[in-house]
Amino acid sequence: MTALRLGTRRSALATTQSGWVADRLRAAGHEVELVEITTEGDVSGELLTAIGGTGVFAAAIRRALLDGRIDVAVHSLKDLPTAPEPGLTVAAVPVREDSRDVLVARDGLTLGELPAGAVVGTGSPRRTAQLAALGLGLEIRPIRGNVDTRIGFVTSGALDAVVLARAGLARLGRLDQATEVLDPIQVLPAPGQGALAVECRSDRSDVVAAVTVLDDVDTRTCVTAERSLLATLEAGCTAPVGALAEVVEGDDGLELSLRAFAGSEDGTVELRRSLVGPYDRPEALGADLARILLEDGAADLAPSSSTASDHATHEPEQAS
């Protein structure tokens, strides 16, 4: 096989993530060439909810895959729509980075130390809803931009703090700028946060075989449960959603523990539910917990400005 053409967005985080995958493919004996692709999400300054949600980051790269301009694509998994893309397959979900969110605040402050009225930036309805539900009296302000832009809002004094994905800072070697890692009890991450999806054409068995060696079974199992929950909720709920699955030791072997959040962006409604199920049935576990949320009121939550296709996710990890 000739060199694998690996498509990536141009942001620092996207190229870092793609480079990480490329290095592992090279270690497995393959030649890899990075191909930069510009997406609508990269060139538009509007909020994601105004330009079609997180799918705008994946669409251009997926077109390049289907057109045969590239052989492999690396996505932040939380940027991918839950519906499968005809003709493409996620051949590998590598081992996951820490999925939690972090706070980057002025003066080294933690969330609990921010004074009432402090202005916190995020482009994520999920983060907005959970921060509002904490009842800390914070003012949440919508923002966009890459990691440097977002952190710059804090260093310039424009904002008191921003909330970002820990995985992005870790991959960029900038974890020292986080002032607190947020406990999922307070803020559950987006479904799939911290995980990468390595995608290729379904009919390229040679590429699928080359990429599959990067797959991590535990990570794939966890994100399958989280995305199954999201897919089930999207059919009947437009509320912001957070979810986190973890592998746990049960009485009869490995099990899967799944926690989820759905709520209103103003924080007045907060549904948090959890469920434990068989390790080998992640899709069923996610769907079952989603149905519990819907029965308990998630279906009645008023739509926000987000659409049903983008409500759950937020700002893309490749920018956050």
Side-chain angles (χ1 to χ4, degrees), residues 124-186:
S124 161
R126 169 189 61 83
R127 290 170 178 150
T128 298
Q130 293 183 87
L131 289 171
L134 293 174
L136 299 175
L138 303 172
E139 179 188 336
I140 314 299
R141 189 168 297 171
I143 58 170
R144 278 237 19 223
N146 60 26
V147 169
D148 283 331
T149 300
R150 293 171 191 237
I151 292 176
F153 290 137
V154 178
T155 55
S156 70
L159 299 174
D160 294 299
V162 294
V163 181
L164 306 170
R166 184 190 184 281
L169 290 185
R171 291 182 177 123
L172 290 171
R174 299 181 64 175
L175 270 180
D176 59 331
Q177 295 188 266
T179 56
E180 181 183 14
V181 179
L182 300 181
D183 192 312
I185 291 173
Q186 293 179 303

Side-chain angles (χ1 to χ4, degrees), residues 96 217-227 245-247 256:
R96 188 182 206 170
V217 177
D218 283 354
T219 298
R220 184 180 280 270
T221 299
C222 288
V223 301
T224 297
E226 294 165 15
R227 286 169 63 78
E246 297 170 290
V247 178
L256 207 56

Side-chain angles (χ1 to χ4, degrees), residues 242-318:
L244 179 62
E246 297 170 290
V247 178
V248 296
E249 191 69 46
D251 293 337
D252 300 315
L254 293 181
E255 293 182 326
L256 207 56
S257 170
L258 179 61
R259 291 179 280 169
F261 162 90
S264 59
E265 279 194 61
D266 63 6
T268 56
V269 180
E270 176 187 24
L271 299 173
R272 289 182 178 270
R273 302 291 185 268
S274 61
L275 201 59
V276 176
Y279 178 88
D280 59 356
R281 297 187 63 221
E283 285 184 291
L285 179 64
D288 287 347
L289 185 52
R291 283 190 282 269
I292 291 171
L293 283 167
L294 290 169
E295 290 168 4
D296 288 352
D300 302 323
L301 290 170
S304 69
S305 58
S306 310
T307 66
S309 65
D310 68 46
H311 72 270
T313 39
H314 39 268
E315 60 221 67
E317 186 161 318
Q318 293 186 358

Side-chain angles (χ1 to χ4, degrees), residues 72-95:
V72 181
V74 178
H75 310 276
S76 285
L77 187 59
K78 76 173 189 178
D79 289 350
L80 284 188
T82 53
E85 181 73 12
L88 300 181
T89 184
V90 176
V93 180
V95 64

